Amino acid sequence: MNLPWPRTREVVEAARALDDAKAKLRLPVLDNIKVATPCRADWNQMAGDERVRHCGDCKKNVFNLSAMTRVEAEALIKEKNGDLCARYFQRHDGTIILKDCSVGVTQKRKRRIIAGAVAALLGGGAYLAYKATHHHPRAPEMIMGAVAPEYIETKGDIGPSIRNDDAPPPAPPQIESRTVEIK
């Protein structure tokens, strides 16, 4: 390409480089990050919160990308121009697990539901086992008062006795019926 002005070629090349850089910025940032040499420092020994902690070994802040949404994590990486220490969880297919990951949120919800159901089953089973082994019959009641005459029956020459309430009631007297023809 033969351009009339030497500066025009530089401007075209710069514009092309700028277009390439803009195209790279439009690509998903998180899908393209790589950690060349993973750090072995213990996250739990670092001071800070769940989003960022300070590493005493390298004297840098370490950002937990998995505690951020996709938008937050990508904005942080762009702000730092990729020059940061990061911690994240990665699936076997290479994708990063984020706070707003629908797959991770769904799996977490399922695990909570299953854990709740298991706890309820175990608690219910323990309660039933306790009730089965610790039967406490009701305490006997103290009853005082006059006995009604209808509950007293005589037993020949033994004298009156109090009828047991659990015994079946006495049979009603038999009534003999006759049919009489009237003329």
Side-chain angles (χ1 to χ4, degrees):
M1 177 171 182
N2 215 356
L3 297 174
W5 299 289
R7 296 271 182 204
T8 307
R9 184 173 46 198
E10 290 174 9
V11 170
V12 169
E13 287 175 4
R16 195 174 296 144
L18 183 62
D19 289 340
D20 288 345
K22 286 181 181 177
K24 286 181 181 178
L25 285 176
R26 285 191 294 272
L27 291 173
V29 174
L30 288 173
D31 297 337
N32 295 317
I33 65 170
K34 301 280 186 265
V35 175
T37 308
C39 178
R40 299 288 177 216
D42 186 4
W43 173 262
N44 296 319
Q45 300 299 320
M46 296 179 195
D49 58 19
E50 287 306 308
R51 291 175 60 94
V52 62
R53 295 189 181 183
H54 187 75
C55 178
D57 295 341
C58 67
K59 309 292 187 234
K60 290 185 179 180
N61 287 333
V62 182
F63 296 89
N64 185 2
L65 300 180
S66 292
M68 300 178 189
T69 64
R70 177 171 288 276
V71 172
E72 293 170 335
E74 287 184 349
L76 175 70
I77 292 169
K78 287 177 185 176
E79 175 189 326
K80 302 284 186 180
N81 283 333
D83 185 27
L84 73 150
C85 288
R87 172 185 194 249
Y88 58 88
F89 294 100
Q90 188 174 24
R91 292 187 190 91
H92 294 291
D93 63 0
T95 57
I96 295 175
I97 298 173
L98 298 166
K99 184 178 180 181
D100 61 350
C101 173
S102 62
V103 173
V105 169
T106 303
Q107 288 176 347
K108 192 174 188 179
R109 187 178 303 127
K110 283 181 185 177
R111 284 192 301 269
R112 285 183 179 165
I113 290 171
I114 290 171
V118 167
L121 285 173
L122 290 174
Y127 175 75
L128 290 175
Y130 173 79
K131 289 305 265 183
T133 58
H134 293 84
H135 177 69
H136 298 290
R138 283 184 14 186
E141 295 180 40
M142 173 62 75
I143 301 174
M144 291 186 351
V147 177
E150 60 201 44
Y151 289 102
I152 298 177
E153 58 183 74
T154 57
K155 299 234 177 189
D157 45 358
I158 299 176
S161 64
I162 299 176
R163 190 179 76 211
N164 184 356
D165 285 338
D166 294 334
Q174 293 293 331
I175 301 174
E176 194 175 306
S177 66
R178 293 187 191 163
T179 306
V180 179
E181 189 176 325
I182 302 175
K183 292 189 181 178

